[in-house]
Amino acid sequence: MTENIFSLEGKTAVVIGGTSGIGRTLSLGLADAGADVIASARRQEQVDETAAEIERRGRKTLRLCADVCSRASLEHLLAASLQRFGKVDILINCAGIIKRMPTLDMSEKEWSDVLDTNLTGTLRACQTFGKPMLERGYGRIVNIASLNSFVALNQVAAYAASKSAVVSLTRSLAVEWSKKGVTVNAIAPGVFRTALNADLLDNTPRGQELLSRTPMGRFGKTEELVGAAVYLCSDAASFVTGQTLVVDGGFLASGVNE
């Protein structure tokens, strides 16, 4: 029987921001693909709940909080993961914040807060977990980009700037690290319904416009991102690096839909 090149059996994954929304779905999806998964975030109750789901799938995990704005917390998460599992094969960076407001009204602190989480936070995690990956000569890093990496959405300039930069950072790290066995890629989700945005998508003109711009005529389901993540983390993508895989129901391909 041919070996399953999409299997993550024997791999250890850390998912930062892995306990809610897209991050939680990816944490459970990697576990379903065979990986032991440490899903970390800032809230202990969410960490505990997601860890229980991972264990119900027969996988191992840890119950540790981390904050991408704190390098010390990321270093603690790495140390605990290495102590328990001996290695971290996969890192997925899902932590992110968005603030919608007119750019003219945005303070420098509000701007900096978004960039510190979305961009510098991704860098902190990549540096922290990338170092032992490079020393081992193996690693899979997947960053979460956005439609905003490529097109502007009204009144979210800081978010768009941060997510555009995540794509650029992904390419830069791929160029630096791929010869040493560490691939760095990104996923750019389209419009996915989560608990945080369901009301906006279903009950506002902005939600209707996002729907009309999606050729499939519906919003994504978070589980529809799992295949892309498993692919990029698996041996099937061993020669793929520096890429941003868009999963958007045709949004970026769209001009006129009617």
Side-chain angles (χ1 to χ4, degrees):
M1 186 175 70
T2 304
E3 181 183 357
N4 180 7
I5 59 172
F6 295 98
S7 172
L8 301 182
E9 290 282 347
K11 304 297 186 186
T12 301
V14 170
V15 184
I16 308 290
T19 65
S20 63
I22 287 170
R24 182 180 187 277
T25 300
L26 295 185
S27 294
L28 300 181
L30 296 187
D32 287 336
D36 294 322
V37 181
I38 301 109
S40 189
R42 292 181 297 172
R43 295 176 180 84
Q44 188 66 54
E45 64 273 15
Q46 291 183 340
V47 170
D48 292 342
E49 190 276 333
T50 305
E53 283 294 326
I54 292 167
E55 288 170 343
R56 275 193 278 275
R57 285 160 163 76
R59 308 301 171 193
K60 298 173 184 174
T61 187
L62 291 174
R63 288 167 164 77
L64 287 175
C65 291
D67 183 349
V68 292
C69 295
S70 165
R71 187 176 294 271
S73 79
L74 294 172
E75 290 173 345
H76 176 67
L77 178 62
L78 171 65
S81 300
L82 292 178
Q83 182 177 13
R84 173 71 186 276
F85 296 100
K87 61 187 175 65
V88 174
D89 303 288
I90 296 163
L91 171 69
I92 300 188
N93 285 306
C94 291
I97 59 172
I98 187 169
K99 189 170 184 67
R100 185 185 178 194
M101 65 187 305
T103 305
L104 199 62
D105 298 335
M106 176 168 266
S107 69
E108 287 193 14
K109 183 182 186 309
E110 289 167 321
W111 172 274
S112 297
D113 286 347
V114 173
L115 266 71
D116 189 46
T117 296
N118 297 355
L119 175 59
T120 310
T122 296
L123 172 67
R124 288 187 192 101
C126 287
Q127 288 178 322
T128 300
F129 287 85
K131 187 173 187 292
M133 288 179 176
L134 291 166
E135 290 169 351
R136 269 185 72 216
Y138 181 90
R140 298 282 187 267
I141 296 175
V142 179
N143 299 321
I144 300 300
S146 169
L147 292 178
N148 264 163
S149 300
F150 306 100
V151 295
L153 305 183
N154 193 31
Q155 295 188 340
V156 286
Y159 183 80
S162 70
K163 289 298 188 178
S164 296
V166 164
V167 169
S168 181
L169 175 64
T170 298
R171 294 192 188 111
S172 294
L173 294 181
V175 168
E176 289 190 45
W177 293 357
S178 294
K179 282 184 181 178
K180 300 176 182 177
V182 179
T183 66
V184 188
N185 293 289
I187 295 171
V191 187
F192 285 77
R193 180 185 278 102
T194 67
L196 291 179
N197 69 11
D199 184 62
L200 180 145
L201 295 184
D202 296 338
N203 300 309
T204 70
R206 189 181 183 91
Q208 286 304 304
E209 183 178 357
L210 290 167
L211 184 62
S212 71
R213 289 173 179 267
T214 303
M216 280 194 177
R218 65 176 177 84
F219 300 124
K221 303 170 185 175
T222 55
E223 57 266 27
E224 291 178 299
L225 290 164
V226 170
V230 170
Y231 165 65
L232 291 174
C233 293
S234 73
D235 290 340
S238 58
F239 200 57
V240 178
T241 196
Q243 301 303 305
T244 299
L245 179 52
V246 180
V247 185
D248 71 346
F251 189 108
L252 290 183
S254 173
V256 177
N257 286 329
E258 300 295 341

